Amino acid sequence: MPTYTAPVKDMQFLLHEVLNATATGIPGYDELEPDFTAAILEEAGKLAEGVLAPLNAVGDTEGCRLENGVVYTPTGFKDAFAQIKEGGWNGLDLPEEFGGQNLPYVLATGVGELFVSSNMAFNMYQGLTHGAINAILAAGSDAQKTTYLPKMTSLEWTGTMNLTEPHCGTDLGLIRTKAEPQDDGSYKITGQKIFISAGDHDMSENVIHLVLAKAPGGGEGTKGISLFIVPKFIVKDDGSLGDRNGVSVGKIEEKMGIHGNATCVMNYDGATGYLVGDLHKGMRAMFVMMNEARLGVGLQGYAQAEIAYQNALAYAKDRLQGRAVTGTENPGGNADPLIVHPDIRRMLMDQKSFVEGARAFTLWGAHLIDRAHRLDDSQAEGLISLLTPVIKGFLTDKGFDMTIQAQQVYGGHGYIEEWGMSQYARDARIAMIYEGANGVQALDLVGRKLAAEGGKPAMAFFELIKGFLKENAENEALKDGYLEPLKAASKDLQTAMMFFMENGMKNPNAALAGSTDFMHMFGHVCLGYMWALMAKASDAALKAGASDATFHETKLKTGRYYMARQLPATGMHLARIQSGAEPVMALDAEAF
């Protein structure tokens, strides 16, 4: 049975020694004293380790079932959900007026990682609710906020996002779900939605669906789409629940992974819906919360890699196979543990250096969201908008790769279900697809985000790197192992941007054919920057006589591995980008 240990120490290091949370000047960050954040993370860690993690395999094995119109979640999920509700975990960063605690998003992000690593499928029930809350906060009326948000924050009611239909996923302009206006100001919603995570279940009293649909007069494409609240049970004026609405579950999807989450086909048969925001402006309302939603999916990628790595490491230390080529290291046994072998070390170091870099990148991104929202900082808003497709796309691509690496450490046992490694790979796989498939994230990065605001956010990113390199030029601990690799990788990224600028206008395919390589190149540079920041913090801690010297020495060695063995991938990605569109587009469709 796999195990999980919450990486609270590493999160504390990032919050207080890398991000220097209390010194940022962001409103609410003054509360983030080390004792306070440790208490919250440790309590969340206990819940993750003791309650959620043991249910992970249960959810995978049992899945959800639909019986007589009722969706039943796996054994133990209802009790665990009650504990999440009782602890107020869903409202950690939500407004106090609706029952939340209004703590910074960066702290909620750390807690989210613990819950996702321990049980990704389970966490999606409150995760989708959180996303729906943010959409209503951004675009809903005061009456809608008062009616729905307190009980969604408390998880008495949960929420969903209904976008995809059988014939359209990414291209939402093709949706056919209709919204017919009624005399009382409501709408009748008719159509079918698919792939609806947490679409229905037995853990809350009501489910508040946010549904994209087309109302009359909206025209073609996404400009004609509106957003509607469609509750499972109609909410009366006094807040109590009334009649069942015209929405039902057609079936639960059979999926590769996240079996513990009810991914539903939702049928809307003249269901009563209420317009959110402006008519025909539904996409705007939905995309307001996309930065946070996509950061959350990027988190899923590395969070699955984290628990897979923890178990692969334990297996590598325990499993005896072969002898070290440099001489016996376990003379009392008939073989040495796997971890003595360089190729096993390579796989473990790939995983460790990725996960710790990805955690830093994600918390830094969450801090940028806090800065944008709490300080109305337009530069932070521009930067996180630029980085969002990188966080989502790169971290989920590489996170899945790392779960496969962890599975590989186990050899044949990694392929056997009882060891649990298959589940991490299967669960992580969806994160590359939903909330915008990663190829679309790459296209968005190259086609839109780089040129946004005349390229100001992209230039601001390079100035960050340039400023760090200049500021630390005389730091001997960073000079060779960190600064030079980061400088070279950043130069590769800038060269790729210049290639797009010089070739993209006359041949758009030249840019788009290299978009995924660019997204990965950008991701590597971001993780290189994160490792440089962490190395600086650990070097300073060691010079100050840190009591946990081993932690910081390990951090420096892990960072050097990433800079030496992973960051040079930018050169490969640059070469691919500079090959242009011709190798990609050379075959006619009929020749495939």
Side-chain angles (χ1 to χ4, degrees):
M1 173 68 73
T3 60
Y4 175 65
T5 301
V8 173
K9 184 176 180 63
D10 200 47
M11 290 183 180
Q12 286 284 91
F13 166 69
L14 293 171
L15 287 172
H16 303 293
E17 297 180 66
V18 178
L19 294 177
N20 296 311
T22 56
T24 60
I26 301 172
Y29 271 52
D30 56 334
E31 296 181 50
L32 301 184
E33 294 289 346
D35 288 348
F36 177 69
T37 57
I40 289 177
L41 292 171
E42 286 167 5
E43 196 62 32
K46 290 177 186 175
L47 189 57
E49 294 168 2
V51 177
L52 303 186
L55 293 175
N56 199 35
V58 175
D60 188 53
T61 303
E62 288 188 16
C64 299
R65 67 185 196 278
L66 175 63
E67 294 180 0
N68 300 318
V70 178
V71 175
Y72 294 95
T73 50
T75 303
F77 271 42
K78 285 182 76 171
D79 290 340
F81 200 70
Q83 292 185 55
I84 294 287
K85 290 192 329 191
E86 184 180 344
W89 291 106
N90 188 54
L92 205 63
D93 62 319
L94 295 175
E96 290 181 86
E97 63 182 301
F98 302 118
Q101 299 168 56
N102 201 36
L103 289 170
Y105 179 60
V106 71
L107 184 58
T109 299
V111 169
E113 181 197 322
L114 306 182
F115 292 165
V116 171
S117 281
S118 58
N119 198 323
M120 177 171 159
F122 174 88
N123 189 68
M124 289 171 65
Y125 291 99
Q126 62 263 26
L128 269 295
T129 304
H130 200 282
I133 288 170
N134 281 328
I136 296 172
L137 276 172
S141 67
D142 289 343
Q144 288 171 340
K145 293 173 186 178
T146 300
T147 299
Y148 297 103
L149 295 190
K151 291 196 174 182
M152 293 175 74
T153 299
S154 69
L155 293 178
E156 292 172 77
W157 301 348
T158 55
T160 72
M161 315 293 280
N162 284 238
L163 289 75
T164 306
E165 298 183 8
H167 58 284
C168 69
T170 301
D171 191 355
L172 290 172
L174 298 177
I175 69 170
R176 297 174 184 156
T177 299
K178 298 296 183 186
E180 293 294 332
Q182 304 299 299
D183 292 341
D184 63 358
S186 68
Y187 289 76
K188 291 297 182 186
I189 311 298
T190 301
Q192 185 180 77
K193 298 289 185 177
I194 64 170
F195 306 158
I196 307 307
S197 301
D200 199 23
H201 53 86
D202 57 352
M203 299 190 298
S204 66
E205 299 170 1
N206 202 4
V207 182
I208 310 304
H209 302 288
L210 290 187
V211 182
L212 289 180
K214 289 191 173 182
E220 297 299 317
T222 57
K223 293 180 180 179
I225 294 176
S226 301
L227 180 65
F228 299 89
I229 289 173
V230 186
K232 176 180 175 181
F233 290 97
I234 299 295
V235 180
K236 297 179 181 178
D237 291 342
D238 64 0
S240 63
L241 298 184
D243 295 336
R244 175 71 185 253
N245 206 352
V247 53
S248 61
V249 178
K251 71 170 183 174
I252 297 175
E253 302 283 9
E254 293 288 335
K255 309 184 298 295
M256 175 180 175
I258 54 168
H259 296 153
N261 195 268
T263 305
C264 300
V265 172
M266 303 301 300
N267 294 322
Y268 293 88
D269 300 301
T272 299
Y274 309 96
L275 180 67
V276 179
D278 296 329
L279 191 63
H280 310 313
K281 303 294 183 184
M283 293 301 295
R284 180 190 301 171
M286 288 290 281
F287 277 100
V288 165
M289 42 69 64
M290 283 301 182
N291 281 350
E292 290 185 31
R294 287 176 174 165
L295 184 142
V297 175
L299 181 152
Q300 288 181 331
Y302 85 79
Q304 290 303 287
E306 165 68 30
I307 189 168
Y309 163 71
Q310 287 188 18
N311 286 278
L313 175 61
Y315 186 84
K317 289 181 175 181
D318 183 67
R319 174 77 166 175
L320 302 181
Q321 290 285 286
R323 290 293 189 188
V325 295
T326 53
T328 298
E329 296 197 20
N330 179 34
N334 59 4
D336 290 330
L338 279 173
I339 200 166
V340 305
H341 303 300
D343 199 57
I344 296 293
R345 291 287 188 98
R346 173 191 63 81
M347 289 190 282
L348 293 172
M349 288 297 286
D350 280 352
Q351 295 163 59
K352 179 177 174 63
S353 64
F354 165 73
V355 167
E356 292 180 17
R359 177 178 297 120
F361 186 24
T362 303
L363 290 182
W364 182 58
H367 140 267
L368 288 175
I369 289 175
D370 277 333
R371 181 172 289 279
H373 291 177
R374 291 173 176 247
L375 284 175
D376 199 23
D377 185 331
S378 60
Q379 184 171 353
E381 181 68 46
L383 190 54
I384 191 57
S385 182
L386 169 70
L387 296 174
T388 292
V390 183
I391 291 172
K392 195 282 182 185
F394 179 70
L395 297 191
T396 58
D397 276 352
K398 298 300 288 185
F400 175 73
D401 287 348
M402 293 304 114
T403 65
I404 299 300
Q405 290 262 42
Q407 190 180 34
Q408 187 74 11
V409 170
Y410 278 71
H413 289 300
Y415 201 65
I416 303 300
E417 290 292 346
E418 70 180 88
W419 288 85
M421 301 308 291
S422 163
Q423 184 183 353
Y424 304 132
R426 289 184 286 103
D427 286 358
R429 184 64 184 88
I430 186 57
M432 301 162 70
I433 298 172
Y434 62 16
E435 206 63 56
N438 285 357
V440 177
Q441 298 297 325
L443 295 178
D444 179 49
L445 174 64
V446 171
R448 297 179 184 173
K449 298 298 173 62
L450 287 181
E453 300 179 50
K456 280 176 61 179
M459 293 303 103
F461 176 80
F462 287 118
E463 284 301 313
L464 267 179
I465 303 292
K466 183 178 177 181
F468 180 86
L469 293 170
K470 184 176 181 180
E471 178 186 333
N472 295 282
E474 302 306 315
N475 188 326
E476 292 299 325
L478 302 183
K479 190 170 290 185
D480 294 329
Y482 288 92
L483 300 186
E484 287 304 316
L486 180 58
K487 183 178 180 180
S490 179
K491 184 178 179 181
D492 285 344
L493 188 62
Q494 291 178 71
T495 303
M497 280 187 61
M498 289 300 298
F499 177 85
F500 290 155
M501 291 172 63
E502 291 168 2
N503 296 277
M505 291 297 290
K506 58 187 177 185
N507 181 11
N509 282 341
L512 300 184
S515 59
T516 290
D517 280 292
F518 186 79
M519 179 177 73
H520 277 244
M521 179 190 287
F522 211 146
H524 279 299
V525 173
C526 287
L527 261 63
Y529 178 45
M530 291 301 107
W531 271 114
L533 289 174
M534 288 188 281
K536 181 178 180 178
S538 280
D539 177 58
L542 288 170
K543 288 174 178 174
S547 59
D548 50 354
T550 301
F551 172 88
H552 294 292
E553 289 165 357
T554 301
K555 188 67 71 174
L556 286 165
K557 291 173 184 176
T558 305
R560 289 191 194 103
Y561 178 90
Y562 192 88
M563 305 306 269
R565 298 280 302 213
Q566 295 298 318
L567 197 53
T570 59
M572 174 194 68
H573 290 301
L574 177 60
R576 289 175 175 174
I577 289 168
Q578 289 177 325
S579 73
E582 200 280 330
V584 176
M585 306 301 291
L587 292 182
D588 293 332
E590 294 76 16
F592 279 88

